[in-house]
Amino acid sequence: MKIIIHQLDEIRNAARQFIEQALKGDCQRVVAFYGSMGAGKTTFIRALCEELGVTDVVTSPTFAIVNEYEVDRAEGFSIFHFDFYRIKRLEEVYDMGYEDYFYGSSLCLIEWPELIEELLPDDCLRVTIRVLDDGSREISVRQ
């Protein structure tokens, strides 16, 4: 599956399309976002969270490593947003109890997953965001 975002004002529509086609209503999974610095990973994750009903401010958890967002329309459902950019050793991820997140019943959205690749579940959804020559973004999804 591929989605092209030509302009920023198309991002919410792209997020809806992603939820319908890639998540298919399954919000109990791990989604890994690959892309260069500035490709739009955090911006797309923000749009996804908004489309899923998050009313909190969605920001990159660069220093906290993980942010938790409550979904207003689904009581008890949370989204966990990870940013592993600053991880230096896998032990840091073990120490934070990643298994509870990755194998729990919530949606986990991960930035910089290449730094923890060996810890990702086999059924992880892998999303690549690429900046095209004209500045638009191509989002491609694979299992």
Side-chain angles (χ1 to χ4, degrees):
M1 174 183 130
K2 288 190 180 185
I3 301 171
I4 302 291
I5 302 172
H6 298 284
Q7 297 183 22
L8 189 57
D9 64 356
E10 298 173 357
I11 197 164
R12 294 285 297 264
N13 191 36
R16 275 190 296 279
Q17 186 179 349
F18 180 87
I19 292 165
E20 292 168 3
Q21 295 179 11
L23 289 182
K24 298 176 184 160
D26 182 11
C27 288
Q28 296 180 353
R29 66 178 318 157
V30 176
V31 183
F33 290 86
Y34 299 83
S36 60
M37 184 76 72
K41 297 180 295 294
T42 302
T43 303
F44 189 66
I45 288 172
R46 182 179 302 119
L48 283 175
C49 288
E50 290 169 356
E51 286 300 313
L52 289 168
V54 172
T55 57
D56 294 331
V57 176
V58 176
T59 60
S60 179
T62 302
F63 295 100
I65 300 176
V66 62
N67 287 342
E68 179 179 4
Y69 309 117
E70 295 289 322
V71 177
D72 283 351
R73 66 177 181 221
E75 187 173 323
F77 176 71
S78 295
I79 296 172
F80 293 100
H81 178 192
F82 296 86
D83 184 333
F84 289 118
Y85 183 74
R86 296 193 183 282
I87 291 294
K88 302 292 184 228
R89 299 177 341 271
L90 278 180
E91 288 77 22
E92 295 174 66
V93 184
Y94 286 114
D95 290 345
M96 70 181 285
Y98 81 94
E99 300 98 336
D100 293 337
Y101 295 105
F102 291 6
Y103 297 99
S105 60
S106 294
L107 178 63
C108 294
L109 306 174
I110 302 171
E111 295 186 52
W112 300 103
E114 47 273 86
L115 301 174
I116 60 147
E117 193 73 40
E118 63 196 66
L119 301 179
L120 295 175
D122 292 338
D123 65 346
C124 176
L125 189 63
R126 288 168 167 79
V127 179
T128 301
I129 301 178
R130 193 168 65 97
V131 181
L132 302 178
D133 290 339
D134 65 358
S136 58
R137 303 309 198 258
E138 177 187 75
I139 299 170
S140 55
V141 181
R142 60 185 159 72
Q143 283 282 17

